[in-house]
Amino acid sequence: MGSAIRDNAAGHRFELERNGHVAFANYERRGTSLVIRHVEAALPLRGTGAAGELMQGVAEIARAEGRKITPLCGYAYAWLRRHKEYRDLLN
């Protein structure tokens, strides 16, 4: 991962900043689950892989915390299904 994922706990979102623009994932920690409600990248970041890099960071955070990911967002669900190395985190 080229950029660090920041946990904005007050805003309940993980953030990745690149060139002054932000990709974020709104989340909720619920029991042993990390619920991903929405993933979005600023327009200039779309198509650059920033959202995928963000999701990789989110998956690594979930794994480090011993949590499963409950993706309510279609992008988060599709990303987890495409990356078999993280499928074990899918709740």
Side-chain angles (χ1 to χ4, degrees):
M1 251 180 315
S3 303
I5 306 303
R6 178 176 59 232
D7 182 357
N8 177 345
H12 298 279
R13 69 186 211 169
F14 294 110
E15 301 170 339
L16 178 139
E17 186 175 340
R18 187 184 286 165
N19 299 324
H21 302 285
V22 176
F24 65 89
N26 292 334
Y27 73 83
E28 175 185 343
R29 284 182 172 98
R30 189 184 310 158
T32 59
S33 215
L34 183 60
V35 180
I36 304 299
R37 299 190 168 281
H38 180 72
V39 175
E40 186 175 322
L43 283 173
L45 295 180
R46 292 184 187 169
T48 68
E53 186 176 336
L54 172 68
M55 279 303 302
Q56 183 179 357
V58 168
E60 292 297 333
I61 289 167
R63 182 164 278 144
E65 293 180 359
R67 296 178 188 273
K68 295 284 190 176
I69 296 175
T70 303
L72 301 182
C73 168
Y75 176 82
Y77 177 77
W79 189 92
L80 286 163
R81 295 284 299 162
R82 275 194 319 270
H83 293 85
K84 53 186 157 188
E85 67 271 28
Y86 297 110
R87 275 193 210 147
D88 63 303
L89 299 176
L90 190 56
N91 199 12

